[in-house]
Amino acid sequence: MTSIGTGYDLSASTYSPDGRIFQVEYANKAVENSGTAIGIKCKDGIVLAVEKLVHSKLLVPGANRRIQTIDRHVGLATAGLLADGRHLANRARDETASYRDLYKAPVTMKHLIERLALYVQAYTLYSSVRPFGISAILGAIDKDGPQLFVIEPSGVFFGYHGAAVGKGRQLAKTEMEKLKLSELSAREAVMDAARIIYLCHEDAKEKEFELEMTWITEETKGLHLPVPKDLHDEAEGKAKAALEDDFE
C-alpha cells in the first residue's frame, strides 16, 4: 500500500496524493483476515451463516456470536473485529427503537441501512476516530419482502441477492453465483449456506471453527431466529459429506 510520500495513513481524514484513504483500506484488511460471513436472499426469506474461527480450545462453545438480532425481524452478521461488530449492533438497536417510538411500526430496512451507513461513514471523517474494522451483512423481511444489504468500512452499502464478506468471500461469491437464488426455499438455502462455509474453510482447515446460522422466513413468521438444531445438524452433515466427495 505504498503511495507518493509518507505519513498519509496516520489519520482517516487525510487523503494520499493519489486520492486514497489508507486507514479505510487497512480496515478492509481487518475484514479480510476474519472468518467468512454470507447472506442469501431466497424466495421466502433470508439465511445468514458465519464461519466463526475458534482461537482457543478453552473458549466456551457458542460464546461471542457473530450473528446478532437487531429487531425481531432484523439480523446482523459481521466479519472483522468482534468488538466493532457489537458496537454497530448496539447502534442499530438504538435506531430501530427510535423508529418504533416515533412511527409505532417496525423499522424498514431502507431506513435502517441508510442510518447505519451514515454512522459508519462518520468514522472516516475525523482524525480523532478510526474507521470500523468490519463489514456487516444485514437481512430482514419488511413490508417490501426479503431484504439483504452489506455495509463496508467506508460507509458505502449495496443491496444483494447473495452477499459474502471475510477471508473466503471470493470463493463464496463464485459458489453463490451458481445457485438460482430466486428459486431456492429457505431450507434449501440453509443447506447451500453450510456447504459454502465449509468450502471456504478449507484454506484454513488447521483451525477449528463453529458454524453459526440464522434465518428469517415465512416458517419463523418473519422473525430472526437461529436455524433449528435438527436442520443445522443435517446441513452440517451434508456439507461435510459434499466436501469429502469433492476431495475424493
Side-chain angles (χ1 to χ4, degrees):
M1 288 191 182
T2 56
S3 183
I4 305 161
T6 56
Y8 294 105
D9 59 353
L10 299 178
S11 166
S13 60
T14 305
Y15 282 97
S16 72
D18 52 353
R20 293 157 68 185
I21 299 176
F22 285 120
Q23 284 210 3
V24 172
E25 294 183 24
Y26 297 158
N28 280 311
K29 284 289 178 189
V31 176
E32 287 172 22
N33 290 331
S34 170
T36 310
I38 65 172
I40 295 175
K41 182 168 84 170
C42 44
K43 66 182 179 184
D44 58 346
I46 301 287
V47 173
L48 300 175
V50 169
E51 170 203 10
K52 190 180 79 177
L53 299 173
V54 178
H55 300 291
S56 168
K57 290 182 179 178
L58 301 176
L59 287 171
V60 177
N64 296 324
R65 296 186 66 81
R66 283 194 172 270
I67 305 180
Q68 303 184 58
T69 299
I70 302 306
D71 200 351
R72 284 174 290 191
H73 65 298
V74 183
L76 171 80
T78 59
L81 305 179
L82 190 61
D84 286 20
R86 281 207 203 96
H87 178 80
L88 189 66
N90 285 332
R91 175 68 186 198
R93 290 183 188 117
D94 290 344
E95 291 291 350
T96 57
S98 174
Y99 188 95
R100 201 179 279 273
D101 285 345
L102 191 60
Y103 297 107
K104 308 295 185 248
V107 71
T108 63
M109 199 60 177
K110 186 173 184 293
H111 175 87
L112 179 61
I113 201 75
E114 285 178 357
R115 295 288 298 176
L116 279 186
L118 281 171
Y119 184 71
V120 171
Q121 196 252 340
Y123 276 70
T124 69
L125 299 177
Y126 309 104
S127 56
S128 57
V129 293
R130 64 161 175 79
F132 279 87
I134 54 166
S135 285
I137 302 174
L138 279 104
I141 296 180
D142 62 13
K143 60 181 183 177
D144 298 318
Q147 306 278 328
L148 187 71
F149 287 89
V150 173
I151 303 177
E152 302 290 348
S154 61
V156 70
F157 68 92
F158 296 101
Y160 287 90
H161 291 292
V165 294
K167 187 172 281 186
R169 74 188 188 288
Q170 208 54 56
L171 177 58
K173 284 178 181 176
T174 303
E175 287 298 313
M176 281 191 280
E177 283 168 3
K178 297 175 185 175
L179 304 174
K180 293 182 178 177
L181 297 175
S182 59
E183 297 173 15
L184 279 184
S185 69
R187 283 181 169 266
E188 290 167 337
V190 166
M191 300 296 170
D192 283 316
R195 180 181 59 80
I196 290 167
I197 291 292
Y198 266 87
L199 202 59
C200 292
H201 183 68
E202 271 299 280
D203 291 339
K205 57 186 171 187
E206 69 283 351
K207 294 180 183 174
E208 290 294 315
F209 85 102
E210 288 177 22
L211 173 64
E212 284 183 31
M213 286 197 293
T214 61
W215 61 352
I216 312 155
T217 72
E218 293 167 5
E219 201 172 316
T220 65
K221 297 178 181 166
L223 301 179
H224 177 244
L225 296 172
V227 169
K229 190 175 187 309
D230 57 339
L231 184 59
H232 189 288
D233 293 344
E234 184 189 347
E236 265 198 302
K238 285 186 176 178
K240 287 174 185 173
L243 211 58
E244 285 169 13
D245 289 346
D246 289 347
F247 183 71
E248 287 171 7

